[in-house]
Amino acid sequence: MDFNLKGKTALIAASSQGLGRAIAEELLKEGANVMISGRDEEKLQKVAEEIGSLYQGKLAYTKADNANLDEIQHLIQATVDKFGTIDILVNNAGGPPAGTFDSMTDEMWQSAFELNLLSYVRLIRESLPYLRKNGGKIVNIASSSIKEPIPGLILSNTFRTGIVGLSKTLASELAADGILINTVAPGRIDTDRVKHLDEINASKTGVSSEIIKEKVLEGIPLKRYGEPEEFAKVVVFLASDANTYMTGSSFLVDGGMIKSI
């Protein structure tokens, strides 16, 4: 299948590691030009050195804190200056701190809102003039918590579901512009974030992170954590010309972990 991504420009937020990096690599394989971003310039430079010349697509990077409007605007302009336009926007953000309701302060709620929901709003708004030119694609990365809240992750549970409401509403509002927008929700994908969550649960229960992982695997029909590239391939499909009639939907990539219909 030809995804027709050669020469298209994709902007990927929070892409110096984990799922964002995997998405960048898969898009580069398909010939897209990719702008990666993040708060750590050394990590971005390392990604550029490791994968920037391996594939057909061109890779560039811009340091940006997605909780800061000025830096988002700089990121958008840097992408347009480098590649001429934006055809694909992949919204992504690192997960907020773990904890229960009683442990969360106003500052923690505000910070999570700005990073995990408002950044998506801002990146979409700033990208729209370019996405509207040729009917672009938006893919919002969320979490399996959009279908089943995860204990101890109240900040993520709250704002990830907000992403779904945003996506569903914009699917109608942007349809006339030919823009398709969807949400992709990872389950237990083998990233540093998931390893960190396993370690937190291990420290709470006084067992090793390996035992925590074994317990989690009991609830995953495929009996393994997903690989980042498996998740990334779903995003690439939704961002490509192979997707012509899917918008406003949410897709789980979780090995069958979530049991809801």
Side-chain angles (χ1 to χ4, degrees), residues 67-171:
N68 184 296
L69 177 57
D70 289 341
E71 295 193 26
I72 284 176
Q73 292 172 334
H74 171 69
L75 172 60
I76 298 297
Q77 191 60 52
T79 305
V80 174
D81 289 345
K82 178 67 179 179
F83 295 122
T85 190
I86 299 171
D87 302 296
I88 299 160
L89 171 65
V90 179
N91 269 320
N92 186 37
T100 60
F101 182 81
D102 286 339
S103 66
M104 297 299 160
T105 64
D106 279 3
E107 290 75 18
M108 296 170 77
W109 279 103
Q110 184 67 33
S111 177
F113 164 67
E114 291 177 358
L115 180 61
N116 296 108
L117 183 55
L118 186 58
S119 71
Y120 285 43
V121 172
R122 287 169 164 170
L123 278 160
I124 292 170
R125 183 178 63 218
E126 300 298 325
S127 300
L128 272 180
Y130 308 101
L131 294 168
R132 282 186 165 120
K133 289 180 180 180
N134 298 305
K137 303 285 175 58
I138 302 169
V139 182
N140 291 327
I141 309 304
S143 162
S144 63
S145 63
I146 66 173
K147 293 292 186 180
E148 181 180 330
I150 301 171
L153 291 181
I154 189 168
L155 294 177
S156 180
N157 295 340
T158 301
F159 295 115
R160 303 299 196 190
T161 51
I163 291 169
V164 177
L166 173 68
S167 300
K168 194 68 173 178
T169 304
L170 287 179

Side-chain angles (χ1 to χ4, degrees), residues 192-211:
D192 289 342
R193 166 71 172 175
V194 168
K195 291 174 184 175
H196 176 62
L197 293 175
D198 283 350
E199 289 168 359
I200 289 175
N201 289 329
S203 65
K204 286 180 180 178
T205 56
V207 300
S208 68
S209 57
E210 288 77 15
I211 291 176

